[in-house]
Amino acid sequence: MLLAVPHERSAPREYREQATSPKDRFVTVYGRKPVLEALADTRLTVDKVVLADNAHGLAAREIIDAARERGVEVQRATPHRVKVLAGNGKQDQGVLADVVAPRMRTLADALASSRRPSSVLLLDGITTPANVGMILRTATAAGIGGIVVPRRGVAGLDPLVVKASAGVAFTAPVLRVATAAEAAADLRAAGYPLYGLDAGARRTVFDADLPGQAAFVLGSETSGVTDGVRPHVNRWLSIPMAGGVESLNVATAAAVLCFELVRRGR
């Protein structure tokens, strides 16, 4: 797990020139039940539903009726196209919905903003959906300003992540980027030193002097910080352990870190 901190320098020009992908605006849910749940939740804005053109019968009619009631467009596509859009070839059940994520944006946009997030988490190699979902819920509850969820190398924002987050994934301040290594490089270029968590580090998250703006990178439990991110790390910090315990689950470690920031009044 890593930590990082930004200076007040203006972001490099290339940040402002990057286009926003639909995947950087929506959380895509797939499967009949998740799609119906999204349509039934009036707090959510559903951009569109994509239904396989071979989907008929009662289940398809229920989805079409629910979408019509909400005024949501239903597009028909081939079953293969639905699988590609869903990113899951086994559980899409021939339907998906794009749910507007109002706080989602690219990392580039966040770094180019005149009001950068004061605290940022960067997820690095965390592939378990339950961990990603719990981190989104915890970080949002703690008021973290941005959670970088790379498109590659990290569990996608799918129904499993949404479920683990108890629905917070739809409204979490998610920042999108291609890879964690790219994010680390961009953060460094924008003036954010990077800090990593290591059990052997002498400084801890409780006694370290952290700047007012900081980004914290979380590595996976099994591999830790990836090789692409490691060269960007400036300093390592630890979470004190007792009782022979070597480390914490990454979602638990994220909770310790996030609420230490809350304790500090961050």
Side-chain angles (χ1 to χ4, degrees):
M1 180 167 87
L2 313 183
L3 319 184
V5 185
H7 296 307
E8 293 297 328
R9 296 196 314 221
S10 61
R13 175 181 174 83
E14 58 267 25
Y15 295 152
R16 297 187 290 275
E17 295 177 347
Q18 293 180 0
T20 300
S21 162
K23 292 184 179 295
D24 300 332
R25 298 174 50 225
F26 306 120
V27 173
T28 299
V29 296
Y30 52 79
R32 296 178 191 123
K33 183 177 178 181
V35 168
L36 285 170
E37 288 177 347
L39 289 169
D41 190 340
T42 56
R43 297 169 299 177
L44 302 178
T45 300
V46 180
D47 181 73
K48 64 179 175 296
V49 171
V50 182
L51 188 64
D53 52 20
N54 65 348
H56 302 286
L58 182 60
R61 174 50 56 189
E62 188 176 11
I63 291 169
I64 292 170
D65 289 346
R68 180 180 293 117
E69 186 174 340
R70 287 288 307 275
V72 175
E73 176 188 11
V74 177
Q75 299 178 359
R76 287 284 189 167
T78 66
H80 175 72
R81 181 61 177 163
V82 174
K83 292 182 188 301
V84 170
L85 293 173
N88 188 299
K90 296 181 179 179
Q91 298 174 334
D92 62 80
Q93 297 180 310
V95 64
L96 63 85
D98 283 336
V99 181
V100 175
R103 300 179 69 191
M104 183 185 291
R105 56 180 171 162
T106 64
L107 174 62
D109 285 344
L111 294 178
S113 172
S114 61
R115 297 184 63 186
R116 295 180 180 177
S118 61
S119 300
V120 175
L121 298 187
L122 167 58
L123 308 193
D124 178 26
I126 303 174
T127 57
T128 304
N131 283 335
V132 172
M134 287 187 285
I135 291 170
L136 291 179
R137 182 173 178 81
T138 297
T140 302
I144 299 298
I147 308 152
V148 182
V149 183
R151 301 182 202 98
R152 299 195 294 274
V154 172
L157 299 177
D158 64 11
L160 295 177
V161 169
V162 171
K163 182 177 181 180
S165 76
V168 172
F170 293 124
T171 56
V174 173
L175 305 178
R176 304 312 302 271
V177 69
T179 66
E182 180 181 319
D186 286 350
L187 287 164
R188 283 291 300 273
Y192 286 66
L194 296 179
Y195 298 79
L197 287 190
D198 182 84
R202 296 177 62 183
R203 285 282 184 185
T204 77
V205 297
F206 302 119
D207 60 29
D209 184 12
L210 298 176
Q213 285 187 307
F216 304 84
V217 186
L218 308 175
S220 71
E221 296 170 56
T222 54
S223 303
V225 177
T226 61
D227 291 341
V229 173
R230 186 171 290 272
H232 298 286
V233 176
N234 301 102
R235 188 173 300 168
W236 299 89
L237 302 175
S238 63
I239 294 176
M241 296 284 125
V245 177
E246 293 184 359
S247 64
L248 298 175
N249 166 276
V250 66
T252 303
V256 171
L257 174 62
C258 289
F259 283 95
E260 169 58 15
L261 296 180
V262 171
R263 186 193 68 80
R264 293 184 185 215
R266 298 279 294 280

